[in-house]
Amino acid sequence: MESGSVSRSRSFNTILFNRKYGSHSRSFSRSSKYNYLGQNFHSQSSTHHSLITKVNPNKTRNTIEAIQRGLKSCIQSVRDELELCSGEIQNQQHSKTLHLQLKTLEYQLSRLENLQEQYELQQKLREGVRSMAYAYTLSNGKERDLALANVKAGFKECTEILGSLEAQVQEFLGGFHLTMKGIQGFARLCPGDTYEITIKHGSQKWKTRAKTGKDGSQNWDFPEAKITALLGEDLYIKAAEVKTLGKQILLGNKFCEIGELFAAHSQLMTVNLNPSGSLKLNVIVQWDPLAQFYEEMNSPSRKRRMISPSLRKHDYGTNTASTSSGSLHTKWAKLRELDPEIENLKESIHKLAGILNDEIQGTYPELEACEVNVAALKRMTLQEYGGCKPDKYKSTSSLNIESALECFDFLDTCDVTYSPPPVQRHPHHRHSIGINAVEYDTKTTTDSGISSLNSRSPSPDICFVTGSENLDLALYTHVQICLKLVNNLGAFGPLKWRERDAINKLQQQGIILGNILNRINKMDEYIYELEGLPFIQKLWKDIAQNKTSLCTTADQAAYGLEKEIRKHHENSHSLARSLVMQIMDEQRFRRNSIVTVFQFILFLRPYETSFKRLVDDVAEEELTIQKLSTIEKLDDTLKDLTTSGSVPPKTVFVHLVRLLVHDDFDIRESVGQYFEESACSRRRSIIQNCVEMLESDAPVDRHSSVILLTMLNSTETLDAVAYLAQTDPDSHVREVAKQMLLRQKEGDRMHQQLTLSTNGFQGLLAA
């Protein structure tokens, strides 16, 4: 909500630091979208959140009521503005925007009211179970202990349901835009005094300093911040006076409740910084009620379960080779157009540091090196940012966006999903195999590339975080990789494969960040990692067209690899793209994505002397998938796989498992028979691959892997399957998971528990 006015000053309920219920420590969860103040944040909730077991019903009810009051005031504010716009032709577009905003706010209010009813019902159920527990404690019957155990389980599960509902309430809290107005101190403020204010909200932190001028003015180094409002978390404010040599004198600590901040108009928040009240902090707070709503709709965590594969063919541009020597400034400008947040390299580093060095520090001993290097990068940005490095590391290009894009004309706005090539089925002649038996609860989403061009142009004199455009681009790429990986850390029910995989990859990224940091300190861009790797060194030089370039585009990397692959295979175009996607560890080929030399070396080092074998393996996988997609060749291909004596490569395995949900019974029967025969000697490896597929983004992978686990009567995966039966967003996956549970005794007990939970009778199983 935007407003041009600021409401009257409001002193908020504050609590001294030594309050009886202690600190705000929170358990780390993969579901969290870790944020650092000063950015547009993602919602802290996600599709797969950890259930909150330490519920606070009274505080949650008060928060819900405060949000309802805030939403109603926002709705009224929009209606008032619509009345002012009515009848004015020049405001028609603005009026349409207001109507859309009004409908969204009313929709949110309706959803919140329904959620409130569910919450109150669950709370009454929990209180009823508590009363039953008290009654059983007074009983001397023979079944007393069993009844108490069941009631205890019921109370625990009621609490978990309340926690789950609280996690849903999180989306409605929106976000706050904080603007530092200053410290009011009367005679306490003297020229030259330096103050540091730290505001924390959950895992988010905003730290800003100001020095008092001779005229009493205060110039804050970071005057604004955006934060995600969090359920059950207060604002923690700390004020300190900074003396010489960095010594600080603590003025005071306060906790402020956020309930009164849910309002349509900006508010002036005034907080006493010391017991006497002689120092006051003034901060303007503006609530955005839809911040988390839009973030939730567009966040990767939500899209994770909504992506289905697609494949389209595109040719390289004719001027690809000539563009390879284009300036890094052009690549940087291109990235800015694709992702405006790329300019916030410093804040990306701070965000990563906030996760690794504040939120999870020490939780994963394997990540110690990564934590140390990220902390060093953060210190570097605090020292260097805002001032330019020597001229030789300063960009003086005056390229505007249009001229930058001219160098990238060969880049299409498409991307291609890396998946087995689908073969269309003829309506009369069944010659090919495709998966079209089930319509999942998702829609195909593709990245359209450049959706629009901004009118702004980069500054003629750009001061980079590292002082070098080349280093900035490489650093940004690997920081973003780390930010993506940390989302897979933490509690995620019994599904742990992604977490283990993320830890291994973060260890590698920590080494790479250390290498980049060394280059920054020495201002040396020589790629010494290529020494002793003559083949990879020559290949990279041919691709990057510059012996010191740390980055290139995915399209250019594929173009260079295609020339090398052509020496061994005819289908070099497809193989080159497949290799680039594996190098980048991505499922889609985005032609304008950045590939760094460190990714290149990390993937290709084992094949320095056996590149042909790598290409042969990838070509063999693609050929096998093509054969499996043809009905006439299916049986022979399955026989070849059976006699090979090993589990097929991942891409082939996934394609095979997907055929278990094909609409053709004969195909399902043949593939099922193959897995039953293979399980005699390769059961463990097959189950491990299925467990990995249970965490796939594609519903067809989760669906088909549960079917295979059912065929194998896998008891070791019941916990994971039960988790999907309760939480998976796709109805087909939930149904097959429940059917698997019903086939086994322990699974049947789990299914009964799920059924009771669905109907509001948590934990009260029959003896």
Side-chain angles (χ1 to χ4, degrees):
M1 300 293 299
E2 294 183 358
S3 174
S5 62
V6 179
S7 66
R8 64 181 177 83
S9 175
R10 185 188 297 271
S11 296
F12 289 84
N13 296 330
T14 58
I15 307 170
L16 292 179
F17 181 73
N18 58 350
R19 60 182 180 173
K20 62 181 181 180
Y21 52 90
S23 64
H24 275 210
S25 60
R26 295 167 50 219
S27 62
F28 173 60
S29 168
R30 179 187 300 184
S31 64
S32 298
K33 293 292 177 190
Y34 299 97
N35 307 319
Y36 194 85
L37 294 186
Q39 289 186 319
N40 294 320
F41 298 110
H42 295 296
S43 168
Q44 292 265 348
S45 63
S46 74
T47 303
H48 296 274
H49 53 73
S50 296
L51 299 181
I52 302 173
T53 55
K54 295 183 179 180
V55 298
N56 190 336
N58 293 331
K59 193 164 187 177
T60 300
R61 283 203 314 273
N62 292 337
T63 302
I64 292 176
E65 292 171 359
I67 299 172
Q68 287 177 331
R69 290 193 298 270
L71 286 173
K72 290 176 181 178
S73 67
C74 291
I75 291 172
Q76 186 59 47
S77 176
V78 174
R79 287 174 177 167
D80 293 342
E81 192 169 354
L82 274 171
E83 290 181 3
L84 296 176
C85 295
S86 61
E88 298 182 13
I89 298 178
Q90 63 272 24
N91 289 331
Q92 285 185 354
Q93 185 60 41
H94 182 52
S95 178
K96 291 180 180 179
T97 302
L98 290 175
H99 275 293
L100 178 60
Q101 190 176 37
L102 178 61
K103 290 181 180 179
T104 306
L105 289 170
E106 290 174 340
Y107 170 66
Q108 284 289 83
L109 180 59
S110 174
R111 290 178 60 212
L112 184 60
E113 289 172 347
N114 292 334
L115 194 59
Q116 183 183 30
E117 293 178 1
Q118 296 179 43
Y119 191 84
E120 291 176 352
L121 174 62
Q122 289 296 331
Q123 187 181 4
K124 290 178 182 178
L125 285 174
R126 191 174 76 145
E127 292 304 315
V129 174
R130 189 200 299 270
S131 300
M132 291 174 61
Y134 178 72
Y136 282 129
T137 57
L138 302 178
S139 172
N140 295 321
K142 297 181 179 179
E143 304 296 328
R144 175 178 178 273
D145 292 341
L146 178 60
L148 278 176
N150 284 331
V151 170
K152 183 178 180 181
F155 183 81
K156 178 182 178 182
E157 293 197 11
C158 282
T159 303
E160 290 180 347
I161 295 295
L162 285 174
S164 176
L165 293 173
E166 288 187 1
Q168 296 178 48
V169 172
Q170 173 62 51
E171 177 191 327
F172 297 87
L173 269 69
F176 297 121
H177 184 184
L178 309 179
T179 304
M180 183 64 66
K181 189 174 181 182
I183 296 178
Q184 180 183 350
F186 305 106
R188 281 293 310 272
L189 296 177
C190 300
D193 287 351
T194 300
Y195 293 94
E196 181 177 273
I197 301 297
T198 302
I199 298 180
K200 291 184 178 181
H201 187 54
S203 63
Q204 306 167 99
K205 181 170 64 176
W206 175 32
K207 186 179 292 184
T208 181
R209 284 188 180 188
K211 188 173 184 179
T212 306
K214 294 182 180 179
D215 58 353
S217 62
Q218 300 168 11
N219 184 21
W220 296 89
D221 53 359
F222 298 102
E224 296 185 14
K226 292 182 181 180
I227 67 173
T228 298
L230 302 176
L231 182 65
E233 298 283 0
D234 294 335
L235 284 177
Y236 168 63
I237 301 174
K238 183 180 75 172
E241 184 176 358
V242 182
K243 296 295 186 180
T244 57
L245 301 178
K247 183 180 179 181
Q248 294 188 359
I249 298 177
L250 183 64
L251 299 178
N253 304 60
K254 298 288 183 180
F255 282 90
C256 300
E257 298 178 354
I258 64 173
E260 296 184 31
L261 297 177
F262 302 118
H265 300 285
S266 300
Q267 300 183 82
L268 179 62
M269 180 175 69
T270 300
V271 180
N272 292 331
L273 296 179
N274 57 358
S276 65
S278 59
L279 282 177
K280 300 179 183 294
L281 175 68
N282 294 323
V283 180
I284 298 175
V285 182
Q286 172 68 62
W287 181 48
D288 180 0
L290 301 179
Q292 295 191 52
F293 173 75
Y294 289 122
E295 289 292 341
E296 178 72 11
M297 298 302 293
N298 298 318
S299 66
S301 62
R302 186 177 182 90
K303 291 181 179 178
R304 175 180 171 186
R305 299 299 189 187
M306 299 179 64
I307 298 175
S308 58
S310 64
L311 187 66
R312 294 179 292 180
K313 295 182 179 180
H314 298 276
D315 296 324
Y316 292 121
T318 56
N319 61 341
T320 302
S322 62
T323 312
S324 61
S325 59
S327 69
L328 278 173
H329 181 81
T330 305
K331 297 175 185 176
W332 199 237
K334 177 71 174 180
L335 282 179
R336 287 190 182 115
E337 285 302 307
L338 296 171
D339 182 5
E341 292 301 318
I342 196 170
E343 290 181 312
N344 295 325
L345 172 56
K346 177 190 175 184
E347 293 181 357
S348 295
I349 294 173
H350 283 217
K351 181 179 179 182
L352 182 59
I355 299 169
L356 292 176
N357 301 130
D358 294 338
E359 189 74 23
I360 65 171
Q361 187 175 28
T363 306
Y364 301 94
E366 307 96 319
L367 303 183
E368 181 180 359
C370 189
E371 293 171 358
V372 171
N373 289 330
V374 170
L377 286 169
K378 179 182 178 182
R379 290 194 299 270
M380 179 268 300
T381 63
L382 294 175
Q383 295 170 1
E384 300 295 346
Y385 200 78
C388 292
K389 291 289 184 76
D391 289 340
K392 76 175 197 174
Y393 296 114
K394 176 177 174 182
S395 171
T396 58
S397 172
S398 59
L399 288 175
N400 57 23
I401 293 298
E402 288 74 16
S403 62
L405 291 177
E406 287 176 2
C407 296
F408 278 75
D409 286 341
F410 68 93
L411 298 179
D412 289 343
T413 59
C414 64
D415 52 58
V416 180
T417 301
Y418 180 48
S419 62
V423 182
Q424 298 297 325
R425 302 186 62 191
H426 194 279
H428 303 293
H429 302 286
R430 297 163 60 88
H431 292 299
S432 59
I433 301 174
I435 298 174
N436 53 10
V438 180
E439 182 178 349
Y440 293 93
D441 303 344
T442 59
K443 295 181 179 180
T444 300
T445 57
T446 57
D447 189 346
S448 61
I450 307 175
S451 57
S452 62
L453 297 179
N454 298 329
S455 58
R456 63 182 177 85
S457 300
S459 171
D461 295 313
I462 300 175
C463 298
F464 297 96
V465 172
T466 64
S468 163
E469 210 164 14
N470 194 20
L471 288 170
D472 260 30
L473 202 54
L475 179 58
Y476 177 82
T477 301
H478 287 281
V479 168
Q480 292 302 313
I481 292 173
C482 291
L483 286 172
K484 178 182 176 181
L485 290 172
V486 294
N487 280 332
N488 291 331
L489 299 177
F492 195 32
L495 305 179
K496 296 293 184 182
W497 181 86
R498 277 196 172 183
E499 181 181 50
R500 293 192 295 268
D501 183 62
I503 291 173
N504 293 334
K505 291 176 179 176
L506 280 169
Q507 288 179 285
Q508 298 169 346
Q509 293 301 316
I511 296 173
I512 292 174
L513 291 178
N515 292 339
I516 296 176
L517 186 63
N518 290 334
R519 284 177 167 80
I520 296 172
N521 294 331
K522 299 177 181 179
M523 275 304 159
D524 178 13
E525 298 180 12
Y526 176 72
I527 310 175
Y528 54 84
E529 290 89 348
L530 289 173
E531 294 180 354
L533 302 172
F535 173 77
I536 299 177
Q537 186 176 43
K538 181 181 182 301
L539 193 57
W540 179 257
K541 183 179 178 181
D542 292 341
I543 290 173
Q545 299 292 313
N546 188 328
K547 65 179 182 180
T548 62
S549 178
L550 300 176
C551 306
T552 188
T553 64
D555 190 76
Q556 184 60 31
Y559 180 80
L561 285 170
E562 183 178 354
K563 292 192 296 183
E564 184 65 30
I565 294 172
R566 196 178 295 125
K567 301 175 183 178
H568 312 291
H569 288 273
E570 294 181 356
N571 190 23
S572 56
H573 181 83
S574 173
L575 294 175
R577 288 184 173 227
S578 297
L579 282 180
V580 171
M581 285 185 282
Q582 293 183 44
I583 290 171
M584 298 174 63
D585 194 20
E586 294 287 350
Q587 298 297 310
R588 297 184 178 198
F589 184 88
R590 294 182 175 90
R591 308 181 72 166
N592 52 336
S593 295
I594 296 299
V595 180
T596 71
V597 67
F598 306 109
Q599 292 173 295
F600 207 73
I601 296 172
L602 182 64
F603 181 80
L604 290 177
R605 183 190 293 271
Y607 307 100
E608 162 68 19
T609 59
S610 56
F611 182 76
K612 183 180 182 300
R613 179 169 61 84
L614 169 64
V615 176
D616 289 342
D617 290 343
V618 176
E620 181 64 25
E621 292 176 21
E622 291 193 355
L623 179 61
T624 302
I625 291 172
Q626 290 177 6
K627 291 180 179 178
L628 290 172
S629 301
T630 306
I631 291 180
E632 291 80 359
K633 299 180 180 179
L634 177 63
D635 290 337
D636 291 338
T637 306
L638 291 175
K639 290 179 182 178
D640 293 340
L641 292 174
T642 302
T643 57
S644 67
S646 61
V647 175
K650 179 180 176 181
T651 54
V652 177
F653 183 89
V654 170
H655 186 85
L656 272 173
V657 178
R658 287 178 177 179
L659 292 179
L660 291 173
V661 296
H662 195 276
D663 59 350
D664 189 303
F665 175 80
D666 292 335
I667 293 174
R668 298 198 305 270
E669 189 73 13
S670 297
V671 176
Q673 184 178 356
Y674 159 77
F675 277 115
E676 288 177 352
E677 294 176 359
S678 300
C680 297
S681 58
R682 289 162 266 178
R683 175 186 172 87
R684 182 176 180 181
S685 298
I686 292 174
I687 290 178
Q688 287 177 344
N689 286 352
C690 285
V691 170
E692 179 178 341
M693 290 180 67
L694 292 179
E695 298 187 60
S696 170
D697 293 329
V700 65
D701 290 348
R702 305 194 300 277
H703 185 176
S704 55
S705 59
V706 172
I707 289 178
L708 180 52
L709 290 172
T710 304
M711 293 172 53
L712 300 178
N713 292 321
S714 171
T715 58
E716 55 265 55
T717 59
L718 284 179
D719 287 342
V721 174
Y723 183 79
L724 292 183
Q726 187 174 25
T727 66
D728 199 281
D730 187 89
S731 59
H732 300 95
V733 178
R734 293 195 301 271
E735 181 60 30
V736 295
K738 291 177 183 178
Q739 292 302 320
M740 176 178 173
L741 295 177
L742 290 173
R743 291 170 63 96
Q744 304 187 39
K745 182 177 180 181
E746 180 64 19
D748 184 60
R749 187 194 66 80
M750 293 181 179
H751 180 263
Q752 290 183 41
Q753 188 68 31
L754 292 176
T755 303
L756 289 171
S757 299
T758 303
N759 292 275
F761 300 98
Q762 293 76 21
L764 302 181
L765 287 173

